[in-house]
Amino acid sequence: DVKVTQSSRYLVKRTGEKVFLECVQDMDHENMFWYRQDPGLGLRLIYFSYDVKMKEKGDIPEGYSVSREKKERFSLILESASTNQTSMYLCASSRDRGHSASYEQYFGPGTRLTVT
Amino acid sequence: GQNIDQPTEMTATEGAIVQINCTYQTSGFNGLFWYQQHAGEAPTFLSYNVLDGLEEKGRFSSFLSRSKGYSYLLLKELQMKDSASYLCAVRDRSNYQLIWGAGTKLIIKP
């Protein structure tokens, strides 16, 4: 059974704190993604990675950074948390890109982050 | 530009059939996905269409018309557990990323 896990389901942080969100997948997937999900908006891609030590910016990378030191782990870092980063954060993984097959994304349970 | 439109909310009756529409405009197209997301949970994959036509999977079917930039998800014999949000996502050919709609919240009434 495929599995994507995230380090916390709920997190409360103060403005200005550095925040680490961890994601681990056990499917040996090449691709990993970080999204945020806000009411009335679609999933918005923050960063993604197609390989170890590789990262690419998504649609809304400002205020975030990522790290992928191992294939199974993809970390999202909020350098200095702000209230507008209060959101649901979803991690996902999928098999390699560049194919016409479905290779759907598998999601973790999400981390609901509140910045006060 | 890139855009995906779905209705915000729909209501249906248990045992009935409901069709959730999705229209899209993208610079390139390499497949359309439907996901289900129950409140407070992660999205889970339902279906994938890359060619025109209907794909049936049990009570759920998904249709695609690439020329019209249109898809729908058809849910038959609705059950209370089908109450969820349904997300439409298009894979962009240029970079294989997914572009997501805002989702349709489906409410099932007894």
Side-chain angles (χ1 to χ4, degrees):
Chain A
D1 196 20
V2 297
K3 203 155 190 179
V4 180
T5 57
Q6 295 184 227
S7 49
S8 306
R9 290 299 304 269
Y10 300 94
L11 209 53
V12 180
K13 295 291 182 180
R14 295 197 179 277
T15 301
E17 280 192 81
K18 192 168 186 176
V19 182
F20 294 87
L21 303 182
E22 302 284 339
C23 175
V24 178
Q25 50 95 2
D26 65 358
M27 298 165 280
D28 200 36
H29 283 170
E30 292 80 8
N31 305 329
M32 296 189 76
F33 307 84
W34 274 107
Y35 294 95
R36 64 178 283 177
Q37 187 175 32
D38 300 290
L41 301 176
L43 292 172
R44 291 184 290 167
L45 183 64
I46 304 171
Y47 268 97
F48 58 101
S49 170
Y50 290 130
D51 201 352
V52 175
K53 295 191 184 296
M54 178 273 179
K55 60 186 178 184
E56 289 192 29
K57 293 180 180 179
D59 299 320
I60 51 165
E62 296 78 19
Y64 304 94
S65 62
V66 290
S67 171
R68 194 169 181 198
E69 296 296 317
K70 294 184 178 181
K71 189 175 186 180
E72 68 271 17
R73 187 180 298 269
F74 193 35
S75 303
L76 179 70
I77 303 148
L78 284 68
E79 297 292 342
S80 177
S82 63
T83 54
N84 63 12
Q85 292 179 308
T86 291
S87 186
M88 171 69 85
Y89 289 88
L90 290 163
C91 174
S93 71
S94 72
R95 291 179 63 187
D96 194 18
R97 68 170 174 166
H99 299 276
S100 59
S102 63
Y103 290 173
E104 68 266 26
Q105 294 185 12
Y106 294 86
F107 285 84
T111 297
R112 185 164 293 282
L113 173 67
T114 302
V115 182
T116 61
Chain B
Q2 300 179 100
N3 192 51
I4 296 184
D5 286 316
Q6 325 178 216
T8 303
E9 187 173 296
M10 298 181 70
T11 302
T13 304
E14 190 176 15
I17 298 173
V18 71
Q19 177 176 310
I20 302 174
N21 296 325
C22 171
T23 58
Y24 64 89
Q25 292 176 305
T26 58
S27 53
F29 177 84
N30 195 27
L32 186 143
F33 296 78
W34 284 96
Y35 280 75
Q36 181 190 58
Q37 186 178 26
H38 285 101
E41 297 183 11
T44 54
F45 170 76
L46 285 177
S47 68
Y48 171 73
N49 295 70
V50 67
L51 299 176
D52 291 349
L54 188 69
E55 295 279 343
E56 297 187 77
K57 195 186 291 186
R59 294 189 299 114
F60 292 7
S61 303
S62 57
F63 171 83
L64 175 67
S65 169
R66 288 172 296 170
S67 62
K68 295 181 179 179
Y70 168 70
S71 173
Y72 66 73
L73 181 68
L74 192 71
L75 291 74
K76 302 177 185 176
E77 300 169 17
L78 286 170
Q79 302 175 10
M80 298 303 292
K81 67 178 182 179
D82 297 330
S83 292
S85 289
Y86 291 86
L87 313 181
C88 174
V90 172
R91 183 160 60 195
D92 189 293
R93 179 185 295 280
S94 62
N95 57 21
Y96 295 91
Q97 292 177 38
L98 293 185
I99 304 156
W100 295 84
T104 299
K105 183 177 180 181
L106 178 63
I107 300 168
I108 310 297
K109 295 187 174 179

